[in-house]
Amino acid sequence: MRRRSADPVGAAREVGPGTVDRGRGGASTAANGDWLTLGRDGRLSLYAPADGGLVRWTETVAGGPGWSGPHFVPVAGLTHLTVVQGADTYVHFLGRRERVRADGGCGADVVHAIQYQTGLAFTEWRSLGNPHRDPEQGRELGPPAGAVAADGTVHVFVRNAGGGLSLRRELPSGKWRAWEDLRGGGIDGPPAPVALAGGRLEVCAAAASGTLVWRQTAPGGDFDGPRGFALRPVPGTVTALETGPERVTFFWTDAESGGAAAWREGDWPAALGGSPAGQGYASLRTAVDGYDCVVLAHRDRDGSVMLGMGGTENEAGGFWWYALAESCQGAPALARDGRGRVVMALIGPDGAPRVARQETGAGLSFARWHTLGH
């Protein structure tokens, strides 16, 4: 099992809100993954990349509305940030980092840190290296994607220089296995992994030849695949959500129609309509008026935020889209707060995070937007 540090600060020492440099208080864009997380104590936290590291805001009490922050966490050379959370509520930070090598060239690696408790410090950032020994190939490393298995094992996926998929994951002891080559080719967007409640993982990626899917044979086991499918997601728009026991639905923007699509292995893709996404979709499964629903949110190509909703695995019943009077950088995020309300977060064009909560009443609508201090 992973051992918790008695002083989990190390090189990622945080700065309190009273002493944060305001130039570092704003976000540079949205992070990838689940960058709005719910802690064990019922408080939400929001994370975003910033110049020289990342920034964090945290609810002062469960359910809000107050937030503390920004708290700045330095990470030199960070080019991409992905946030993932496990069932144990630990929050994992995966970054792609570039540094000057001893020979004067530029090298890239993947780094990892953990936040064990809401609002507290991070562990030290640990380098997970690079699947390539050749520095020039290593610079072609894609941004990391991640998922945490039901037993807490972290899985890190990256597009490698050959256009295939590489994986690094933990052993039960907490030590990391060597990089694994999961094969594949022509991947032209970030992979979309999902951890299932039963312990397995699945991964989907858009590729030049269509869609590639890898499935873990058993919890902790090897990955089968990739299996190729003649489907055409727009690169960078694929997301994954467990919509039934051991069933995954993948969502993306269809390259031909320009609208959203949902697909489960063994079924035909279902058109969901809407406008094309500029980045990936935020996805959440929740109850709305007593019905099991999937909620999607994305940034369309002109920067506006779109919200969609429909019955879980009932795409034929219709999917409804709403344009929100908000603009954002990167993809929005969705989560439930400590009172069970749906919360949406986005990074505004000015770098300030904004959040809105589900209003009481029928359907899914949001109360006024609240801008977090920066």
Side-chain angles (χ1 to χ4, degrees), residues 2-14 47 54 56 73-75 90-94 111-117 119-128 154 170 176:
R2 185 182 295 111
R3 181 178 63 85
R4 288 184 57 172
S5 168
D7 180 23
V9 182
R13 191 170 303 277
E14 293 185 275
Y47 311 90
L54 65 95
R56 180 191 71 192
V73 182
V75 193
Y90 297 166
V91 183
H92 297 264
F93 304 90
L94 303 170
V111 291
H112 170 243
I114 311 169
Q115 179 186 274
Y116 289 109
Q117 290 182 276
L120 297 187
F122 294 15
T123 63
E124 292 186 12
W125 291 83
R126 174 177 181 176
S127 175
L128 303 183
V154 184
E170 289 179 304
W176 288 80

Side-chain angles (χ1 to χ4, degrees), residues 56 110 133 164 175 188 213 261 280-281 310 336:
R56 180 191 71 192
V110 175
R133 294 181 180 274
K175 294 182 178 180
D188 49 15
V213 176
Y281 292 82
R336 282 185 296 271

Side-chain angles (χ1 to χ4, degrees), residues 238-271:
V238 183
T239 192
L241 185 66
E242 184 173 13
T243 53
E246 293 296 301
R247 280 198 310 279
V248 178
T249 302
F250 297 102
F251 300 93
W252 58 62
T253 294
D254 181 73
E256 294 183 3
S257 71
W263 175 72
R264 288 177 292 279
E265 194 167 347
D267 291 339
W268 293 99

Side-chain angles (χ1 to χ4, degrees), residues 44 59 63-65 67 337 341-343 356-359 365-367:
L44 291 169
E59 283 186 319
W67 294 74
D337 70 8
R341 297 171 297 185
V342 177
V343 179
R357 298 176 197 270
Q358 181 179 7
E359 287 189 305
S365 60
F366 291 97

Side-chain angles (χ1 to χ4, degrees), residues 189-194 202-206 211-214 233 238-240 250 252 263:
V194 58
E202 296 191 15
V203 191
C204 179
T211 300
L212 301 178
V213 176
W214 293 257
V238 183
T239 192
F250 297 102
W252 58 62
W263 175 72

Side-chain angles (χ1 to χ4, degrees), residues 166-358:
S166 293
L167 163 67
R168 194 162 189 198
R169 52 179 161 168
E170 289 179 304
L171 293 166
S173 64
K175 294 182 178 180
W176 288 80
R177 296 174 58 166
W179 285 98
E180 303 170 52
D181 184 2
L182 299 187
R183 303 182 303 280
I187 295 176
D188 49 15
V194 58
L196 307 182
R200 294 190 310 105
L201 270 69
E202 296 191 15
V203 191
C204 179
S209 59
T211 300
L212 301 178
V213 176
W214 293 257
R215 303 180 81 242
Q216 200 172 27
T217 55
D222 294 330
F223 284 79
D224 277 346
R227 295 185 63 192
F229 299 89
L231 303 168
R232 300 296 303 168
V234 172
T237 66
V238 183
T239 192
L241 185 66
E242 184 173 13
T243 53
E246 293 296 301
R247 280 198 310 279
V248 178
T249 302
F250 297 102
F251 300 93
W252 58 62
T253 294
D254 181 73
E256 294 183 3
S257 71
W263 175 72
R264 288 177 292 279
E265 194 167 347
D267 291 339
W268 293 99
L272 304 182
S275 59
Q279 281 91 18
Y281 292 82
S283 60
L284 181 69
R285 185 179 174 188
T286 191
V288 178
D289 297 338
Y291 293 96
D292 184 358
C293 293
V294 167
V295 180
L296 299 178
H298 72 88
R299 176 189 185 273
D300 70 15
R301 290 176 180 169
D302 70 1
S304 299
V305 180
M306 300 293 297
L307 177 72
M309 183 180 67
T312 300
E313 296 191 352
N314 185 29
E315 293 84 8
F319 210 86
W320 291 267
W321 291 97
Y322 309 88
L324 305 182
E326 296 291 331
S327 298
C328 68
Q329 303 183 57
L334 292 168
R336 282 185 296 271
D337 70 8
R339 299 179 186 174
R341 297 171 297 185
V342 177
V343 179
M344 181 186 291
L346 57 86
I347 304 299
D350 60 353
R354 293 169 61 78
V355 297
R357 298 176 197 270
Q358 181 179 7

